[in-house]
Amino acid sequence: MTRKKLLNKLARFFDADRASQRKEIDSILKVTKKLKDKERDLRHKLETTAPGDERAELQGKLDVIEAQRHKALTLIQELRAGRNKD
Amino acid sequence: MIRHITLALLLIALGYGFWLSANFKEIAAGVALFLFGMLSLEQGFKSFTGGTLERILRGSTNRLWKSIGFGVISTTLMQSSTLVSLITISFVSAEMISLAGGIGIIMGANLGTTTGAWLIAGLGLRVDIASYAMPALVFGVVLLLQRGKVTKGLGYLALGVGFLFLGIAYMKSGFDAFQTAFDLSAYAIPGIGGVLVYTAIGMAITIIMQSSHATLLVIITALSAGQITYENALALAIGANLGSAVTSALGGMSANLGGKRLAIAHVVFNLLTATVAIVLIQQMSWAVDHLSAQIGIAEDDVLLKLALFHTLFNLLGVLLLAPFTRPLERFLVRAVRFEPKPMEQPRYLYPGALETPATAINALRKEVGHLYDNAYELIAMGLSLRPALIDSDQSLSEAVKMTRRIIPLDVDDVYERKIKSLHSEIIDFISEIQGRGLEEPAARQLYTLQQASRDIVEAVKGMKHLHKNLSRHGVSPNPVVREPYDAIRLTIARLLREIQQIRSQDPETVTSLSLDSLKLSSETSSQKFISELNRLVRARRLPARIATSMMNDESYTFEIGQNLIEAAQALLEPSSPRDQAIESKLALDEDDLQRLVDSTPEPN
């Protein structure tokens, strides 16, 4: 292992904030994946549901997921921006 | 199962009897018409029980003589001690009248029911009663076809009288014809053996026909046709009294504590009366002969003498028991007590679970889940929807729309047994854990679960409030009243189903964020409900007084929803503190939800 690589590894090991941010982003991505799966199921249901109360209910759920995914995206961007500043 | 077999055997026996004898067919048809007439009379009187009867009942039971008088008069008018007994049981059960008042009415009803014997013996068999039946039936049907509740009630009364008369006429002609073919009087049993056997027969007939009136009709017509002896007819009448007490006891067993006590008092009264009548049958027979001569009943008029005997021995029972009404009441209150049903026991909280914070939190989470399941069942039943239906794929809106009756539910009792007891155990367990000292984040998880337990209890309390009006208006025939309650039931049922579906999914694929959509739909349903109510009030289709009650109920509905969502959120919380923090950051706050509500298109 070259000296440079070794130093980088050491830097990552001691940079606790950076590691914590990484884990936080992973955690967000995990939740986002669940939301994405749910969104796919709902869209599939929406296609086969006739207009009416049930369809409006499905649309409401999709709107909620969209808002949550938007929040997740903003959070990831903030975390990444914070990491880049360092 | 035994009931089904007995019914099948009875139907086969009747069918065989019809095939064997045309006269038996006529007698049975008479009994059937008579019973149907009594049912119609009951139905008719029920149309008038919306307030007047209850008001009179309440004002007539503050003194024993008034209670007895009320029992006599109401049973004489209605010719149905069953209806009077049922109403009395419901009033005693609801503690609107005292047990002593109820006992007085039952005694009076026993005396009032003897007027039936006088009517049948004095009038029914002496005139062509069928000719009076026909106009009553015609008037009854015409009135029944009208719209008004009172007119319909009068129709039922007229029909009841018509069928009673027709039944008497059929029985009379059946027994007259029967007489030429068979002579049942050949089976007469003299002496005390005969008294006991015929008392048992009278009791059995009354239990089968569920009406002492019908039994008396059979006895009197059989006596008039000479098919039974006068002595055996007296014993049959005693048996009819005992049979009616058994019928009432069977009905009272399904009632609450007050109803059970009253049913036992009825049995005690009739048993005492029957015992005295059997023991003193010779003396009473002599008294009947003596009194008959005094009031002008002919020596050979056994029908009226039987009616007199029936009245006398019931009067004797009243005279014997009336002074002991209060002691009997005290004895029943002492002897017949509420047997508490077992309290729900915790499933996961045991001392071993306190060993480590992780096992304690895990056990607690499961127990709160258990509490949620109990609350889920109670709330579903409170909505008059079976939990199995909510768990299924069936359309909830259809199920709500098709509901024809409110499922009887003692919310307070279930709350005490299945919610409060478990909540107390949870709180006890939490204080045990806290006593051992907990580090963050376990302390926070503990707090969240404690809060969830409280949320569940609050949701159930909301259901307790809501249930009162749901029971009253949930299946109202007036669509303007029923539809808002249907909307309330549907909102909560959908929420329960959604939460159940989310809870049943694999924790690896589900997130508590899914509950945010329920918050949104709860909010939109609430706003839609209120704007619909406002529209109905503006259009003068709904009085503001009722609308405000509905608004209160909507508020309970909203609280139930919020509490259940909060509880489910705690139960679905991820175990890792980082994941918890992320989910709480991504969850929609009030502003986010309001934005989404505002962007939701208005309902048409």
Side-chain angles (χ1 to χ4, degrees):
Chain A
M1 192 181 285
T2 62
R3 193 188 305 155
K4 196 177 173 187
K5 270 189 179 175
L6 190 66
L7 281 173
N8 276 343
K9 264 203 162 179
L10 275 172
R12 274 204 299 273
F13 182 76
F14 288 112
D15 191 351
D17 280 353
R18 200 186 164 92
S20 163
Q21 279 172 351
R22 181 68 251 165
K23 281 182 180 166
E24 216 166 321
I25 290 171
D26 286 348
S27 187
I28 297 170
L29 289 173
K30 200 169 83 181
V31 177
T32 318
K33 187 179 177 308
K34 287 180 187 175
L35 291 174
K36 229 172 165 178
D37 291 345
K38 176 112 182 156
E39 187 179 359
R40 197 182 48 240
D41 289 348
L42 288 171
R43 286 209 185 281
H44 181 70
K45 265 191 198 167
L46 193 74
E47 281 169 18
T48 54
T49 307
D53 279 355
E54 203 183 335
R55 195 183 165 91
E57 192 83 22
L58 288 172
Q59 189 55 57
K61 284 180 184 173
L62 280 168
D63 293 344
V64 168
I65 292 180
E66 200 177 312
Q68 287 164 340
R69 286 187 64 189
H70 181 73
K71 271 187 147 183
L73 194 66
T74 315
L75 203 57
I76 291 174
Q77 280 168 349
E78 281 171 8
L79 285 168
R80 281 190 179 146
R83 202 165 67 182
N84 290 341
K85 264 184 211 163
D86 298 337
Chain B
M1 188 63 189
I2 293 170
R3 264 180 97 99
H4 288 130
I5 293 170
T6 316
L7 179 68
L9 287 176
L10 182 72
L11 292 176
I12 291 168
L14 281 172
Y16 182 66
F18 297 156
W19 177 71
L20 213 61
S21 158
N23 298 330
F24 175 70
K25 195 161 60 183
E26 207 167 352
I27 294 169
V31 176
L33 286 170
F34 189 84
L35 286 173
F36 187 72
M38 286 190 61
L39 289 177
S40 294
L41 270 184
E42 276 191 22
Q43 186 69 33
F45 276 108
K46 274 181 190 163
S47 314
F48 302 105
T49 54
T52 319
L53 187 64
E54 285 83 349
R55 251 196 327 275
I56 298 170
L57 188 60
R58 241 175 292 171
S60 314
T61 52
N62 50 355
R63 293 270 189 284
L64 183 64
W65 66 268
K66 279 193 191 174
S67 307
I68 296 174
F70 178 82
V72 173
I73 294 168
S74 56
T75 312
T76 305
L77 285 175
M78 297 184 196
Q79 286 296 304
S80 166
S81 57
T82 313
L83 181 59
V84 175
S85 303
L86 284 178
I87 295 173
T88 311
I89 286 176
S90 70
F91 268 63
V92 171
S93 303
E95 295 179 359
M96 288 166 85
I97 58 172
S98 67
L99 181 60
I103 296 172
I105 296 176
I106 294 292
M107 287 196 279
N110 261 32
L111 207 49
T113 202
T114 65
T115 54
W118 286 97
L119 282 175
I120 299 164
L123 188 74
L125 300 183
R126 283 161 210 270
V127 294
D128 180 17
I129 203 159
S131 61
Y132 295 101
M134 302 306 167
L137 291 175
V138 175
F139 285 131
V141 169
V142 171
L143 291 171
L144 201 63
L145 292 174
Q146 305 308 307
R147 274 192 181 173
K149 196 184 163 196
V150 175
T151 328
K152 266 186 194 295
L154 288 173
Y156 273 117
L157 290 184
L159 270 184
V161 171
F163 278 118
L164 282 186
F165 286 1
L166 206 59
I168 293 171
Y170 264 94
M171 288 270 295
K172 189 172 174 285
S173 91
F175 266 110
D176 285 345
F178 200 59
Q179 195 180 9
T180 55
F182 293 99
D183 184 14
L184 285 179
S185 61
Y187 300 97
I189 307 171
I192 189 72
V195 173
L196 294 176
V197 167
Y198 275 85
T199 301
I201 293 172
M203 194 166 98
I205 296 173
T206 309
I207 294 170
I208 292 169
M209 295 201 290
Q210 303 269 304
S211 162
S212 60
H213 249 70
T215 310
L216 274 170
L217 173 74
V218 176
I219 299 167
I220 293 169
T221 36
L223 180 65
S224 82
Q227 289 284 346
I228 49 172
T229 64
Y230 172 61
E231 285 72 28
N232 290 159
L234 299 186
L236 282 169
I238 297 170
N241 251 43
L242 272 179
S244 77
V246 173
T247 314
S248 159
L250 291 175
M253 285 308 116
S254 59
N256 75 355
L257 196 58
K260 281 194 180 83
R261 286 174 180 156
L262 193 62
I264 292 171
H266 195 178
V267 173
V268 168
F269 173 69
N270 284 30
L271 204 60
L272 181 85
T273 311
T275 311
V276 171
I278 290 171
V279 172
L280 302 177
I281 197 157
Q282 296 299 329
Q283 289 79 352
M284 288 200 58
S285 221
W286 174 84
V288 168
D289 289 343
H290 191 70
L291 261 174
S292 298
Q294 296 285 318
I295 57 174
I297 296 175
E299 175 75 36
D300 58 346
D301 194 345
V302 283
L303 302 187
L304 285 181
K305 279 165 92 172
L306 174 68
L308 183 60
F309 172 80
H310 194 217
T311 306
L312 265 189
F313 88 81
N314 273 296
L315 185 65
L316 185 67
V318 173
L319 291 176
L320 280 173
L321 201 74
F324 301 104
T325 307
R326 289 284 169 194
L328 178 65
E329 181 190 33
R330 281 198 292 275
F331 167 74
L332 287 172
V333 169
R334 237 188 0 258
V336 187
R337 290 185 163 277
F338 177 66
E339 229 174 79
K341 288 181 193 159
M343 293 286 175
E344 183 87 356
Q345 294 300 314
R347 285 185 194 157
Y348 308 99
L349 308 182
Y350 56 97
L354 289 162
E355 286 304 316
T356 68
T359 52
I361 297 285
N362 193 41
L364 188 62
R365 189 184 299 280
K366 284 189 169 171
E367 201 58 59
V368 176
H370 177 203
L371 179 68
Y372 179 91
D373 290 338
N374 286 359
Y376 164 74
E377 272 181 32
L378 187 152
I379 294 171
M381 294 296 278
L383 298 172
S384 287
L385 295 169
R386 306 259 171 217
L389 184 133
I390 294 183
D391 284 341
S392 72
D393 292 334
Q394 280 186 57
S395 161
L396 286 173
S397 50
E398 278 297 309
V400 165
K401 216 182 287 175
M402 298 306 287
T403 305
R404 292 283 170 266
R405 70 178 192 98
I406 294 293
I407 299 176
L409 176 71
D410 189 341
V411 184
D412 289 318
D413 178 49
V414 184
Y415 169 74
E416 289 291 331
R417 285 189 297 110
K418 295 194 142 188
I419 305 294
K420 199 178 170 195
S421 60
L422 213 50
H423 179 57
S424 309
E425 294 281 352
I426 287 170
I427 298 299
D428 256 4
F429 190 78
I430 288 173
S431 56
E432 278 286 325
I433 309 173
Q434 279 169 337
R436 295 174 183 228
L438 274 187
E439 306 267 323
E440 283 291 338
R444 202 198 61 79
Q445 280 181 311
L446 197 68
Y447 174 76
T448 309
L449 289 170
Q450 184 172 5
Q451 192 57 39
S453 186
R454 275 184 57 184
D455 288 334
I456 294 167
V457 171
E458 288 303 317
V460 172
K461 282 184 178 171
M463 191 66 225
K464 270 168 77 171
H465 291 298
L466 184 61
H467 189 252
K468 282 177 198 151
N469 278 345
L470 269 182
S471 311
R472 206 174 300 157
H473 306 302
V475 286
S476 167
N478 181 357
V480 180
V481 175
R482 174 164 177 159
E483 278 165 15
Y485 282 101
D486 276 358
I488 281 176
R489 291 172 63 212
L490 188 59
T491 301
I492 303 177
R494 276 184 177 153
L495 189 97
L496 287 174
R497 179 178 275 182
E498 289 272 346
I499 294 179
Q500 280 304 89
Q501 283 173 351
I502 294 170
R503 282 187 70 208
S504 65
Q505 283 171 25
D506 177 8
E508 286 304 308
T509 60
V510 77
T511 151
S512 67
L513 292 173
S514 301
L515 295 164
D516 281 356
S517 62
L518 297 184
K519 289 181 186 166
L520 176 69
S521 65
S522 181
E523 192 69 49
T524 46
S525 298
S526 170
Q527 294 192 6
K528 190 176 156 187
F529 186 91
I530 299 292
S531 68
E532 177 62 16
L533 277 191
N534 287 336
R535 192 184 64 77
L536 288 171
V537 174
R538 266 199 313 277
R540 304 229 174 269
R541 289 183 62 203
L542 188 68
R545 179 176 49 82
I546 298 178
T548 47
S549 288
M550 286 175 174
M551 280 177 191
N552 287 340
D553 289 332
E554 195 285 324
S555 164
Y556 292 132
T557 306
F558 189 74
E559 278 172 30
I560 293 169
Q562 293 301 303
N563 284 314
L564 289 178
I565 293 168
E566 295 290 336
Q569 207 143 22
L571 290 170
L572 288 168
E573 200 180 57
S575 51
S576 128
R578 180 177 292 108
D579 291 346
Q580 285 168 19
I582 290 300
E583 288 202 1
S584 88
K585 277 182 190 167
L586 299 186
L588 302 188
D589 56 28
E590 280 184 21
D591 292 339
D592 298 326
L593 284 170
Q594 195 52 53
R595 265 195 297 279
L596 286 174
V597 172
D598 294 342
S599 66
T600 308
E602 279 284 310
N604 296 321

